[in-house]
Amino acid sequence: QVQLVESGGGLVQAGGSLRLSCAASGRTVSSGTMGWFRQAPGKEREFVAGINWRGANTYYADSVKGRFTISRDSGKNTVFLQMDSLKPEDTAVYYCAVDRYYYRDHISRAEYEYDYWGQGTQVTVSS
C-alpha cells in the first residue's frame, strides 16, 4: 500500500521561504514521477512541480518557475519542495502525488495520471 505524508507547511510572510517534505512508503520515489499540486480556496487543484524517476528532469508551472525547487532524497524516500520568495497567491493546500506509471521520462501535469495522494499540508502567505 502506497502512502504519502506531507509536512512542512505553515504561516509565512510574503517574501519568506518554506520547505515541504513528502515521505513515501510502499513505493520508491525513484520508480516514477513525483508531483506537487496545490489547491487554493474556491479554485481547482493545479500542478506545481514534478520530478521524474531519473531525478535529473524537473518541470514547473510558470507561476512558480524560478522561485520553487523540487528535489528528492532517494535514501530517505522523500521528495521536497523548496519554496522561496513566497507570495500571498501561493496560499493553498499543497499535495504530493505519485505517477501511476513507472519509469517514464514524461512529467505529467494532469491529476488523473497520478494514482496516490497525500493528505495535504496548508501553506499560508500573509501580505
Side-chain angles (χ1 to χ4, degrees):
Q1 182 180 359
V2 177
Q3 288 189 321
L4 304 173
V5 180
E6 301 99 334
S7 61
L11 174 64
V12 64
Q13 288 188 332
S17 298
L18 282 174
R19 188 192 195 205
L20 306 184
S21 299
C22 172
S25 60
R27 181 170 170 181
T28 61
V29 297
S30 56
S31 67
T33 292
M34 297 295 296
W36 282 98
F37 291 75
R38 67 186 181 186
Q39 187 167 21
K43 296 187 176 181
E44 294 186 352
R45 190 155 53 184
E46 63 176 358
F47 173 85
V48 174
I51 183 167
N52 77 352
W53 71 278
R54 297 181 188 274
N57 296 341
T58 57
Y59 185 52
Y60 298 92
D62 287 344
S63 58
V64 307
K65 200 173 296 182
R67 299 188 298 122
F68 290 11
T69 304
I70 187 171
S71 63
R72 73 181 192 201
D73 183 332
S74 296
K76 296 181 179 179
N77 212 31
T78 299
V79 177
F80 303 99
L81 185 67
Q82 177 67 40
M83 305 186 296
D84 298 319
S85 302
L86 282 161
K87 304 176 181 180
E89 51 263 44
D90 294 319
T91 294
V93 177
Y94 283 71
Y95 301 89
C96 69
V98 61
D99 193 348
R100 64 171 52 182
Y101 300 108
Y102 287 74
Y103 305 116
R104 67 167 177 170
D105 290 335
H106 174 66
I107 299 174
S108 174
R109 299 166 60 100
E111 287 187 54
Y112 69 88
E113 296 208 86
Y114 291 81
D115 259 357
Y116 296 97
W117 295 78
Q119 82 289 349
T121 186
Q122 176 70 47
V123 172
T124 303
V125 184
S126 63
S127 56

